[in-house]
Amino acid sequence: MKLLTRIANISILSIAAMTACKDDADDIKSGIGKSKMEFDGREIDLTGGALGSGKEISGSVPQALGARIGLHNSGANKFSIYLFIPRGIDNLVGEYKYSAIHTQGTFNGYVSEFSEDGTDEITYKITAGKVSVDADEDIYKVIFDCTCEGGQKLKGYYQGKMGIIIGE
């Protein structure tokens, strides 16, 4: 089941790459600007995002039904942020605090760092922090300020369109 979760998350990011990546010039024209994150002292441009619905899987056990947000960059060292919010994607606007247990107003997630060739992945579980989500028609704004289990700081924002994936 862990493999299925990874496949679902990779699907979210693949759709994001196809639907949300645009020229910087187009972003500037639309007033969106660049989206960035800082992870463990490294500043990284975020170049795409995707929004999906489905069940979060923990081990082999389906957990809460909710929204999955995937944000990524397209640099040499690839980073992805996965957030799970136990709420429907049509009602996602709000502020959320980290919790390992899914209750109203909470989120959890992780950061993945991939090698240049994409064969190696290091995963950093988020263990504290907050996330806010806003939407204006088809433009989403996600702001995050989190800490990962190794003490790494994750902070930043994404503003732009997201590919939408409906799943299980």
Side-chain angles (χ1 to χ4, degrees):
M1 290 309 271
K2 215 175 199 184
L3 177 62
L4 291 176
T5 301
R6 294 278 185 213
I7 291 169
N9 288 336
I10 289 169
S11 297
I12 286 173
L13 291 176
S14 296
I15 297 289
M18 291 184 286
T19 61
C21 291
K22 295 183 147 206
D23 267 337
D24 287 343
D26 289 342
D27 287 346
I28 291 166
K29 278 190 243 172
S30 69
I32 296 170
K34 284 196 167 189
S35 299
K36 295 188 179 290
M37 73 178 219
E38 186 176 308
F39 180 70
D40 201 25
R42 296 176 279 176
E43 192 170 290
I44 298 146
D45 290 334
L46 292 172
T47 55
L51 181 61
S53 67
K55 292 181 181 173
E56 182 197 34
I57 305 294
S58 178
S60 62
V61 181
Q63 301 293 314
L65 184 63
R68 295 182 300 223
I69 298 173
L71 305 173
H72 68 92
N73 79 325
S74 58
N77 289 334
K78 294 178 177 43
F79 284 86
S80 299
I81 303 168
Y82 300 99
L83 303 171
F84 179 81
I85 300 172
R87 196 167 196 177
I89 63 172
D90 57 344
N91 190 20
L92 195 55
V93 172
E95 294 186 8
Y96 305 93
K97 292 184 178 184
Y98 170 81
S99 176
I101 300 170
H102 300 302
T103 58
Q104 187 172 349
T106 66
F107 82 97
N108 66 31
Y110 61 93
V111 177
S112 287
E113 180 177 5
F114 299 90
S115 61
E116 272 189 54
D117 63 4
T119 57
D120 295 320
E121 176 185 10
I122 302 170
T123 301
Y124 306 90
K125 183 179 176 187
I126 294 172
T127 56
K130 59 186 177 180
V131 170
S132 68
V133 179
D134 199 3
D136 184 8
E137 295 185 23
D138 62 345
I139 303 296
Y140 287 86
K141 186 173 187 177
V142 181
I143 301 171
F144 45 93
D145 188 356
C146 306
T147 303
C148 294
E149 63 189 343
Q152 299 89 350
K153 300 293 183 190
L154 169 67
K155 186 174 186 174
Y157 64 92
Y158 173 83
Q159 185 171 340
K161 293 184 178 185
M162 289 196 194
I164 306 291
I165 301 169
I166 307 298
E168 288 190 4

